């Protein structure tokens, strides 16, 4: 039996991954070991995630615990000459030459080749994965000159800390009167000097890097180019909003030739998408994080030609970042890896 260790299985990404694995064929060939960084629950077949001796007995380790854990543990098991495969959901390994990024609908052939000579694999940034799956056919046909995108990212993309912050904001605001002017008057007192996520949008995610980009914005072009194995021009702006789940993205796409609207619909369509008709009824009913949450399809709508140029189109998409943005690419790659090992 192939031994698979999963760290971070109680977290947002890890718990979704465990649920997605329930219907997978891997249980016929694999034994799953659950590891925890919490000493309180290390019992009853839950193992210590810092026990190097146990970890190096795994054939495959999947870490959904975050960059700090990977940074701390991976080098230690490498020093033990571990021969297994490490699959990571954090950003720590993504741009390393030792690591391949996972998104098999776009780079399956590359992944199958890399399995033969690489041991480290990582899921891509959630908005990158959602965007590339959406634009899959356009990219395969080399129709895109450049992309400008704005993402409106749910709080669950930042983990349980921000979820707890929103819940606290909600609790603090519970007794506010149903009057906008009175709410505004009391907000500063209510939250004091804290910048709340409730009633708010935060136009800055992660730390600053070159050209005044945030790291989250830099990932759009850097990770997409690595997945596609060619440079693609993507300019990105990332905003945190109070949606619980699902990341929304607004795209401005410049094509390298004139394409009519009907052809755009035909080319975009793939097995991973649900295209929403561009009218008020369908857009407001279906094209919302509330409706898309928990669904495997990426929803896309508001598809229209720009007034600026006949070669520019705009569209709006929503995808569950805990599924196709995180857990699902790992699950699918694990099945590819197991098939290779067998």
């Amino acid at each position: 039996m192939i031994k698979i260790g999963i760290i971070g299985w109680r977290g947002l990404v890890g718990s979704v991954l465990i649920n997605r694995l329930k219907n997978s064929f891997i249980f016929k060939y694999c034994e799953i070991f659950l590891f925890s960084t919490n000493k309180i629950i290390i019992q009853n077949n839950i193992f210590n995630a810092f026990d190097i001796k146990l970890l190096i007995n795994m054939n495959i380790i999947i870490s959904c615990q975050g960059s700090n854990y990977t940074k701390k543990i991976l080098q230690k098991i490498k020093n033990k000459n571990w021969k297994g495969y490490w699959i990571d959901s954090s950003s720590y390994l993504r741009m390393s030459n030792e690591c391949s990024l996972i998104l098999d609908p776009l780079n399956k052939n590359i992944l199958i080749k890399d399995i033969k000579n690489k041991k480290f694999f990582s899921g891509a940034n959630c908005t990158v994965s959602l965007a590339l799956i959406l634009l899959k056919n356009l990219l395969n046909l080399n129709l895109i000159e450049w992309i400008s995108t704005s993402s409106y990212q749910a709080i669950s993309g930042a983990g349980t800390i921000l979820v707890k912050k929103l819940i606290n904001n909600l609790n603090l605001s519970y007794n506010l009167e149903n009057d906008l002017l009175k709410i505004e008057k009391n907000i500063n007192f209510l939250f004091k000097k804290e910048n709340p996520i409730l009633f708010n949008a935060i136009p800055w995610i992660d730390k600053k890097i070159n050209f005044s980009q945030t790291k989250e914005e830099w990932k759009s072009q850097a990770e997409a180019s690595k997945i596609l194995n060619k440079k693609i021009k993507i300019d990105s702006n990332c905003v945190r909003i109070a949606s619980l789940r699902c990341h929304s993205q607004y795209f401005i796409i410049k094509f390298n030739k004139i394409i009519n609207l009907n052809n755009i619909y035909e080319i975009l369509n793939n097995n991973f998408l649900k295209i929403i008709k561009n009218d008020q009824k369908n857009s407001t009913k279906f094209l919302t994080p509330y409706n898309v949450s928990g669904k495997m399809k990426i929803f896309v709508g508001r598809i229209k030609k720009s007034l600026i140029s006949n070669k520019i189109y705009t569209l709006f998409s929503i995808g569950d970042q805990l599924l196709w943005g995180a857990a699902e690419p790992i699950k699918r790659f694990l099945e590819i890896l197991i098939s290779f090992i067998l």
Side-chain angles (χ1 to χ4, degrees):
M1 295 287 281
I2 298 169
K3 295 180 179 180
I4 300 176
I6 302 178
I7 300 97
W9 53 277
R10 294 191 308 145
L12 293 172
V13 174
S15 59
V16 173
L17 174 62
I18 292 290
N19 189 57
R20 290 297 301 149
L21 290 175
K22 288 179 181 178
N23 296 321
S24 174
F25 70 84
I26 69 166
F27 287 98
K28 295 180 181 178
Y29 309 102
C30 303
E31 185 177 4
I32 304 295
F33 296 81
L34 300 178
F35 289 82
S36 176
T37 58
N38 188 336
K39 293 181 180 179
I40 297 175
I41 66 166
I42 298 172
Q43 56 185 344
N44 299 328
N45 296 321
I46 307 299
F47 302 98
N48 185 351
F50 298 102
D51 190 328
I52 302 300
K53 290 182 180 179
L54 282 176
L55 290 172
I56 62 175
N57 284 323
M58 300 294 111
N59 302 109
I60 300 169
I61 293 174
I62 302 173
S63 176
C64 302
Q65 189 62 40
S67 292
N68 289 337
Y69 176 81
T70 301
K71 185 177 181 180
K72 185 173 184 178
I73 296 297
L74 183 56
Q75 188 59 50
K76 290 183 179 181
I77 65 173
K78 285 173 67 176
N79 291 342
K80 296 290 184 180
N81 201 29
W82 180 60
K83 301 297 184 182
Y85 292 90
W86 182 284
I87 305 173
D88 207 280
S89 70
S90 77
S91 63
Y92 179 67
L93 290 172
R94 287 178 188 160
M95 299 310 293
S96 168
N97 290 332
E98 291 184 292
C99 177
S100 291
L101 292 183
I102 296 165
L103 196 61
D104 73 280
L106 283 100
N107 68 345
K108 185 175 182 178
N109 290 337
I110 294 174
L111 291 173
I112 291 172
K113 179 180 177 182
D114 287 349
I115 286 171
K116 299 174 183 178
N117 51 47
K118 287 189 177 182
K119 296 293 184 181
F120 308 120
F121 297 85
S122 179
N125 174 268
C126 47
T127 55
V128 172
S129 295
L130 293 169
L132 291 187
I133 292 170
L134 164 65
L135 303 174
K136 174 177 176 288
N137 294 342
L138 295 172
L139 292 164
N140 287 341
L141 293 171
N142 293 314
L143 293 173
I144 296 175
E145 184 175 324
W146 53 255
I147 301 168
S148 177
T149 176
S150 293
S151 63
Y152 307 95
Q153 301 189 20
I155 57 169
S156 54
T160 55
I161 292 176
L162 206 55
V163 174
K164 290 178 180 178
K165 180 176 180 178
L166 178 60
I167 292 171
N168 182 57
N169 290 168
L170 288 167
N171 289 336
L172 286 172
S173 64
Y174 182 73
N175 290 320
L176 285 176
E177 297 184 54
N178 296 323
D179 185 298
L180 176 60
L181 296 179
K182 291 181 180 179
I183 289 174
E184 287 184 322
K185 184 177 180 181
N186 288 308
I187 279 179
N188 288 337
F189 171 77
L190 193 65
F191 298 114
K192 298 179 181 178
K193 293 184 178 180
E194 176 193 19
N195 195 14
I197 188 66
L198 184 66
F199 307 129
N200 212 356
I202 313 298
W204 189 283
I205 300 176
D206 214 327
K207 63 184 179 181
K208 176 185 174 181
I209 58 169
N210 295 334
F211 310 114
S212 297
Q213 279 187 316
T214 68
K215 189 175 181 182
E216 186 75 6
E217 292 158 354
W218 169 83
K219 291 173 185 176
S220 295
Q221 177 167 295
E223 293 187 18
S225 296
K226 183 171 182 178
I227 290 169
L228 298 171
N229 199 29
K230 63 179 181 180
K231 188 171 182 179
I232 181 170
K233 295 179 181 179
I234 303 178
D235 192 17
S236 178
N237 184 63
C238 300
V239 181
R240 186 74 68 193
I241 61 172
S243 168
L244 283 174
R245 187 161 165 171
C246 296
H247 290 350
S248 306
Q249 297 188 75
Y250 174 75
F251 295 89
I252 304 173
I253 303 173
K254 171 73 178 297
F255 294 109
N256 50 34
K257 64 179 183 179
I258 295 175
I259 309 173
N260 69 48
L261 183 61
N262 289 334
N263 284 344
I264 292 292
Y265 276 90
E266 291 175 6
I267 296 169
L268 269 178
N269 193 31
N270 67 55
N271 293 333
F272 308 110
L273 302 186
K274 182 175 179 62
I275 297 177
I276 304 302
K277 188 177 180 180
N278 186 21
D279 59 32
Q280 182 178 1
K281 179 181 177 181
N282 285 285
S283 296
T284 54
K285 182 177 180 180
F286 298 113
L287 206 58
T288 65
Y290 177 82
N291 177 72
V292 177
S293 180
K295 292 182 171 64
M296 290 302 302
K297 295 280 188 177
I298 297 169
F299 284 43
V300 57
R302 304 306 327 278
I303 302 168
K304 57 188 187 296
K305 185 179 290 186
S306 168
L307 299 177
I308 298 171
S309 167
N310 287 335
K311 292 184 178 180
I312 295 177
Y313 276 82
T314 62
L315 52 89
F316 185 77
S317 76
I318 305 176
D320 191 324
Q321 92 287 356
L322 295 179
L323 284 167
W324 265 115
E328 188 65 12
I330 292 176
K331 176 252 186 184
R332 290 169 63 99
F333 174 71
L334 181 61
E335 292 175 337
I336 294 170
L337 180 57
I338 297 300
S339 298
F340 171 80
I341 294 173
L342 293 174

